[in-house]
Coordinates of all heavy atoms in Angstrom, one line a residue:
R253 N 46.2 56.1 152.4 CA 46.6 54.9 153.2 C 46.1 55.1 154.6 O 46.1 56.2 155.2 CB 48.1 54.7 153.3 CG 48.6 53.5 154.0 CD 50.1 53.5 154.2 NE 50.6 52.3 154.9 CZ 51.8 52.3 155.5 NH1 52.6 53.4 155.4 NH2 52.2 51.2 156.1
E254 N 45.6 54.0 155.2 CA 45.1 54.1 156.6 C 45.4 52.8 157.3 O 45.5 51.7 156.7 CB 43.6 54.4 156.6 CG 42.7 53.3 156.1 CD 41.2 53.6 156.2 OE1 40.9 54.8 155.9 OE2 40.4 52.8 156.5
W255 N 45.4 52.9 158.6 CA 45.5 51.7 159.5 C 44.2 51.5 160.2 O 43.7 52.5 160.8 CB 46.7 51.8 160.5 CG 48.0 51.7 159.9 CD1 48.4 51.2 158.7 CD2 49.3 52.2 160.4 NE1 49.7 51.3 158.5 CE2 50.3 51.9 159.5 CE3 49.6 52.9 161.6 CZ2 51.6 52.2 159.7 CZ3 50.9 53.2 161.8 CH2 51.9 52.9 160.9
E256 N 43.7 50.3 160.1 CA 42.4 50.1 160.7 C 42.6 49.0 161.8 O 43.1 47.9 161.6 CB 41.4 49.5 159.7 CG 40.0 49.3 160.1 CD 39.1 48.9 158.9 OE1 38.8 49.8 158.1 OE2 38.8 47.7 158.9
I257 N 42.2 49.4 163.1 CA 42.4 48.5 164.2 C 41.0 48.0 164.6 O 40.1 48.8 165.0 CB 43.0 49.2 165.4 CG1 44.1 50.2 165.0 CG2 43.5 48.3 166.5 CD1 44.5 51.2 166.1
E258 N 40.8 46.7 164.5 CA 39.5 46.1 164.9 C 39.6 45.2 166.1 O 40.4 44.3 166.1 CB 38.9 45.4 163.7 CG 37.5 44.9 164.0 CD 36.8 44.3 162.8 OE1 37.4 44.4 161.7 OE2 35.7 43.8 162.9
L259 N 38.8 45.4 167.1 CA 38.8 44.6 168.2 C 38.0 43.3 167.9 O 37.0 43.3 167.3 CB 38.0 45.3 169.4 CG 38.2 44.9 170.8 CD1 39.7 45.0 171.2 CD2 37.4 45.7 171.7
K260 N 38.6 42.2 168.3 CA 38.0 40.9 168.1 C 37.5 40.3 169.4 O 36.3 40.3 169.7 CB 39.0 40.0 167.4 CG 39.3 40.4 166.0 CD 38.1 40.4 165.1 CE 38.4 40.7 163.6 NZ 37.3 40.7 162.7
T261 N 38.4 39.8 170.3 CA 38.0 39.2 171.5 C 38.6 39.8 172.7 O 38.3 39.5 173.9 CB 38.4 37.7 171.6 OG1 39.8 37.5 171.4 CG2 37.7 36.9 170.4
A262 N 39.5 40.8 172.6 CA 40.1 41.5 173.7 C 39.1 42.6 174.2 O 38.0 42.8 173.7 CB 41.4 42.1 173.3
D263 N 39.6 43.3 175.3 CA 38.8 44.4 175.8 C 39.2 45.7 175.1 O 40.2 45.8 174.4 CB 38.8 44.5 177.3 CG 40.2 44.7 177.8 OD1 41.1 45.2 177.1 OD2 40.5 44.2 179.0
R264 N 38.5 46.8 175.4 CA 38.8 48.0 174.7 C 40.1 48.7 175.2 O 40.7 49.5 174.5 CB 37.6 49.0 174.9 CG 36.4 48.6 174.2 CD 35.2 49.6 174.5 NE 34.0 49.2 173.9 CZ 33.5 49.5 172.7 NH1 34.2 50.4 172.0 NH2 32.3 49.1 172.3
D265 N 40.6 48.2 176.3 CA 41.9 48.8 176.8 C 43.0 48.4 175.8 O 43.9 49.2 175.5 CB 42.2 48.2 178.2 CG 43.5 48.7 178.7 OD1 43.6 50.0 178.9 OD2 44.5 47.9 178.9
L266 N 43.0 47.2 175.3 CA 44.0 46.7 174.3 C 43.9 47.5 173.0 O 44.9 47.9 172.4 CB 43.9 45.2 174.1 CG 44.9 44.7 173.1 CD1 46.4 45.0 173.6 CD2 44.7 43.2 172.9
L267 N 42.6 47.8 172.6 CA 42.4 48.6 171.4 C 43.1 50.0 171.6 O 43.8 50.5 170.7 CB 40.9 48.8 171.2 CG 40.5 49.5 169.9 CD1 40.7 48.6 168.7 CD2 39.0 49.9 170.0
A268 N 42.9 50.6 172.8 CA 43.5 51.9 173.0 C 45.0 51.8 173.0 O 45.7 52.7 172.5 CB 43.0 52.5 174.3
R269 N 45.6 50.7 173.6 CA 47.0 50.6 173.7 C 47.6 50.4 172.3 O 48.7 50.9 171.9 CB 47.4 49.4 174.6 CG 47.2 49.7 176.0 CD 47.5 48.5 176.9 NE 47.3 48.8 178.3 CZ 48.3 49.2 179.1 NH1 49.5 49.5 178.6 NH2 48.0 49.4 180.4
V270 N 46.9 49.6 171.4 CA 47.4 49.4 170.0 C 47.4 50.8 169.3 O 48.3 51.1 168.6 CB 46.5 48.4 169.3 CG1 46.9 48.3 167.8 CG2 46.7 47.0 169.9
A271 N 46.3 51.5 169.5 CA 46.2 52.8 168.9 C 47.3 53.7 169.3 O 47.9 54.5 168.5 CB 44.9 53.5 169.2
D272 N 47.7 53.7 170.6 CA 48.8 54.5 171.1 C 50.1 54.1 170.4 O 50.9 55.0 170.0 CB 49.0 54.4 172.6 CG 47.8 55.0 173.4 OD1 47.2 55.9 172.8 OD2 47.7 54.7 174.6
R273 N 50.3 52.8 170.2 CA 51.5 52.3 169.6 C 51.6 52.8 168.1 O 52.7 53.3 167.7 CB 51.5 50.8 169.6 CG 52.8 50.1 169.0 CD 54.0 50.2 169.9 NE 53.8 49.6 171.2 CZ 54.1 48.3 171.5 NH1 54.6 47.5 170.5 NH2 54.0 47.9 172.7
L274 N 50.5 52.8 167.4 CA 50.5 53.2 166.0 C 50.6 54.8 165.9 O 51.2 55.3 165.0 CB 49.2 52.7 165.4 CG 49.1 51.2 165.3 CD1 47.8 50.8 164.5 CD2 50.3 50.6 164.6
T275 N 50.0 55.5 166.8 CA 50.1 57.0 166.7 C 51.5 57.4 167.0 O 52.0 58.4 166.5 CB 49.1 57.7 167.6 OG1 49.2 57.1 168.9 CG2 47.6 57.4 167.1
D276 N 52.2 56.7 168.0 CA 53.6 57.0 168.2 C 54.4 56.8 167.0 O 55.5 57.5 166.9 CB 54.1 56.1 169.4 CG 53.5 56.5 170.7 OD1 52.9 57.6 170.8 OD2 53.6 55.7 171.7
A277 N 54.0 55.9 166.1 CA 54.7 55.7 164.9 C 54.4 56.7 163.8 O 55.1 56.7 162.7 CB 54.4 54.3 164.3
G278 N 53.5 57.6 164.0 CA 53.2 58.7 163.1 C 51.8 58.7 162.5 O 51.5 59.6 161.8
A279 N 50.9 57.8 162.9 CA 49.6 57.8 162.5 C 48.8 58.9 163.2 O 49.1 59.3 164.3 CB 48.9 56.5 162.6
V280 N 47.7 59.4 162.6 CA 46.8 60.3 163.2 C 45.3 59.9 163.0 O 45.1 59.1 162.1 CB 47.0 61.8 162.6 CG1 48.4 62.3 162.8 CG2 46.6 61.7 161.1
P281 N 44.4 60.3 163.9 CA 43.0 59.9 163.7 C 42.5 60.3 162.3 O 42.8 61.3 161.7 CB 42.3 60.8 164.8 CG 43.3 61.0 165.8 CD 44.6 61.2 165.1
A282 N 41.8 59.3 161.7 CA 41.3 59.5 160.4 C 40.4 60.6 160.2 O 39.6 61.0 161.1 CB 40.6 58.2 159.9
D283 N 40.4 61.2 159.0 CA 39.5 62.4 158.7 C 38.1 61.9 158.5 O 37.2 62.7 158.6 CB 40.0 63.0 157.4 CG 41.2 63.9 157.6 OD1 41.5 64.2 158.7 OD2 42.0 64.1 156.6
A284 N 37.9 60.6 158.2 CA 36.5 60.1 157.9 C 36.3 58.9 158.7 O 37.2 58.1 159.0 CB 36.3 59.8 156.4

């Protein structure tokens, strides 16, 4: 199982903030 975060029209700062929210929930950077 993986979570994939894709930026559409926002800037990269929001991408990083979403990633922080998901890693706080227990996700880790993907192996691949």
Side-chain angles (χ1 to χ4, degrees):
R253 183 187 180 200
E254 69 180 38
W255 288 339
E256 187 175 285
I257 317 164
E258 184 171 356
L259 198 62
K260 294 298 186 178
T261 61
D263 58 30
R264 291 178 186 264
D265 180 65
L266 181 57
L267 186 73
R269 288 177 178 269
V270 173
D272 289 341
R273 181 75 60 91
L274 296 181
T275 53
D276 288 345
V280 297
D283 287 337

